[in-house]
Amino acid sequence: MGAMELFFVDGEISTQVEELAQFIGQQNQSAASFAAEVAQSSDPVQAVLTASQGVLPKVSEDKVEAAYNQLFAIARTGESGIDGVAAAVAKDISANAESGVAGLRVLNNLYNLANAAQLTVFSEMVVLAVRVNMLPTLVPLVSQLPKLLAGWTGSAQQKADVVLELRNALDSAQLGNEAYATELVFLEAIGASDARAAKVATSAIVRFANLSAVCDLDALASLDNVQELSQNGQLGSAGELLNALLECDFEQWQKYATANADALKELGVDADKATDKIRLLTVASIAAEHLGQDVPFSKVSQAIGVEEDDIEMWIIDVVRSGLMQGKMNQVTRSLVPTRSTYRRFGADQWSLLAERLDQWKASLEALQPVIGNAKLVAQQQAMQMAGQAQVTIKE
């Protein structure tokens, strides 16, 4: 979460309550009478907290944060502290704040002051951001969700509800990449025990197929909960789609897509986007099998079913997606991959990595005598030059 605005409120609590009561009364043009009413109350603190509902959220943007800072200072002295009032205050702000910027700033302060109520305050931040069309301001929090979830007080059900609330909001704002990232957090942190896990996993698989900017399939397929759901047959045709994305090259994908066209359409898979995604993954797979080797453009174009004249653009797209690094040689019309990402990093990939490490170790060992000889020659040459050097001093 963002840094909290520091605030300092001077004076006895009774004075603070009276000042805030007068301020609230001014909004209703009854400052004196309301302040007197609060003073005569058996619980002035609770009276001013109750009276703030529906009033402070509509205060002008330049005063609203200061007013809430004083309210929070008063609430902290109450029996239930900040957590006791956080839910009511947060709901009031999310429903009535006239300034989205100021409202989110106040909720951010409240979140940082709260403990047990942080989950509720976060939920109301999402509600407000949606209402005032400022959801992009919460996008940086998606990457922090695992840490936030671990710190929140609440049941697994409540945490799952908030994560899905954020996912749905991001989806409505057409922030597909962020919605997908939120689904990964849900699947990793909440678990397959939640009744909605299979539906979320299905949505994530379909998003992966459709989103051009998301290419790290292992981040989804390697999740224990996704594997469990798939093995238990709870993903249905989405599980078959995931296996196809993991295993198929372009030619195999075409056969699968043709045979399962109706199922893919029902899932919501965009056939063209999914086919392009398979092309990218196929190029990355070819690169992984030929690291440091020349791969002719003709071989790549044949593998993904495009004209050889277009292959350079496809290679650039693969590099841009983060799936591969390498160099193109336009003279020899070939690709030399230096790094590539596997769709699934399993036992076979670990075995291949161990084999390459052994080869690298053997190569280094073979170089040691050469390096030793070079050092010896350099030392001998330095000694010879030192012996030839003469110093003459005139008398």
Side-chain angles (χ1 to χ4, degrees):
M1 304 297 290
M4 181 181 67
E5 292 287 336
L6 294 177
F7 58 89
F8 303 92
V9 182
D10 294 327
E12 296 293 331
I13 188 63
S14 58
T15 303
Q16 296 175 31
V17 169
E18 182 181 354
E19 288 177 352
L20 186 57
Q22 289 179 348
F23 180 78
I24 293 173
Q26 287 171 0
Q27 311 311 307
N28 298 322
Q29 297 182 344
S30 58
S33 61
F34 179 70
E37 183 182 329
V38 169
Q40 295 170 5
S41 171
S42 60
D43 188 350
V45 172
Q46 186 58 48
V48 78
L49 289 172
T50 302
S52 70
Q53 298 289 298
V55 177
L56 290 189
K58 297 178 180 179
V59 171
S60 61
E61 186 172 347
D62 61 324
K63 296 179 180 179
V64 65
E65 189 170 8
Y68 270 108
N69 285 346
Q70 186 150 4
L71 178 67
F72 297 156
I74 293 170
R76 294 177 76 175
T77 67
E79 227 176 275
S80 55
I82 286 288
D83 285 326
V85 303
V89 172
K91 289 180 184 296
D92 185 33
I93 295 171
S94 68
N96 299 308
E98 294 188 348
S99 167
V101 173
L104 287 171
R105 203 160 55 230
V106 171
L107 286 176
N108 184 74
N109 287 347
L110 178 58
Y111 180 95
N112 288 327
L113 288 168
N115 290 304
Q118 284 187 331
L119 185 151
T120 300
V121 177
F122 183 90
S123 176
E124 296 305 325
M125 289 177 72
V126 175
V127 173
L128 175 59
V130 171
R131 183 170 69 81
V132 298
N133 295 318
M134 291 184 62
L135 198 62
T137 61
L138 300 186
V139 166
L141 299 179
V142 173
S143 62
Q144 299 179 37
L145 269 180
K147 182 179 178 181
L148 296 177
L149 281 168
W152 285 343
T153 299
S155 67
Q157 174 78 25
Q158 290 172 321
K159 293 179 180 181
D161 289 345
V162 171
V163 173
L164 291 183
E165 179 183 23
L166 177 60
R167 188 279 306 265
N168 294 340
L170 292 167
D171 216 9
S172 299
Q174 298 184 341
L175 297 170
N177 294 342
E178 291 76 15
Y180 172 77
T182 306
E183 288 176 335
L184 293 189
V185 172
F186 179 97
L187 293 168
E188 183 174 15
I190 305 300
S193 59
D194 191 285
R196 297 162 290 186
K199 189 174 181 180
V200 174
T202 296
S203 174
I205 293 168
V206 173
R207 283 185 201 276
F208 179 86
N210 291 341
L211 291 171
S212 58
V214 177
C215 293
D216 185 3
L217 182 55
D218 190 58
L220 170 63
S222 64
L223 293 175
D224 292 339
N225 292 318
V226 173
Q227 293 178 9
E228 180 182 339
L229 290 166
S230 182
Q231 290 167 2
N232 293 340
Q234 293 175 259
L235 299 182
S237 56
E240 295 174 3
L241 170 60
L242 178 60
N243 289 333
L245 290 168
L246 284 166
E247 306 295 343
C248 288
D249 59 20
F250 178 70
E251 184 178 353
Q252 293 167 334
W253 169 263
Q254 285 186 305
K255 294 177 182 177
Y256 164 80
T258 301
N260 297 275
D262 291 339
L264 293 175
K265 184 177 180 180
E266 186 176 350
L267 283 171
V269 175
D270 185 312
D272 293 335
K273 291 181 179 178
T275 298
D276 286 347
K277 179 66 65 67
I278 284 292
R279 284 191 169 104
L280 298 178
L281 294 173
T282 299
V283 174
S285 295
I286 293 172
E289 294 170 1
H290 299 84
L291 290 178
Q293 304 174 27
D294 281 333
V295 182
F297 285 174
S298 57
K299 179 175 181 175
V300 181
S301 66
Q302 184 178 3
I304 64 173
V306 300
E307 296 292 331
E308 189 174 331
D309 290 343
D310 298 328
I311 203 62
E312 291 185 33
M313 293 306 301
W314 279 99
I315 291 173
I316 291 171
D317 286 342
V318 178
V319 173
R320 187 184 292 120
S321 72
L323 287 171
M324 179 189 74
Q325 290 179 352
K327 297 180 180 179
M328 287 188 289
N329 189 324
Q330 293 179 329
V331 176
T332 61
R333 296 192 61 74
S334 64
L335 164 70
V336 182
T338 56
R339 183 194 66 81
S340 185
T341 302
Y342 289 98
R343 301 189 206 183
R344 172 190 285 162
F345 205 90
D348 293 341
Q349 285 70 41
W350 281 113
S351 177
L352 180 59
L353 177 60
E355 181 182 333
R356 285 177 176 164
L357 285 174
D358 287 340
Q359 293 173 353
W360 180 63
K361 182 179 178 181
S363 298
L364 287 179
E365 290 174 348
L367 282 173
Q368 282 182 344
V370 177
I371 295 172
N373 288 337
K375 284 183 178 180
L376 183 59
V377 169
Q379 289 172 355
Q380 290 175 344
Q381 289 177 344
M383 291 175 64
Q384 290 174 358
M385 291 178 67
Q388 294 171 358
Q390 294 182 356
V391 178
T392 304
I393 300 177
K394 276 189 176 182
E395 292 183 359

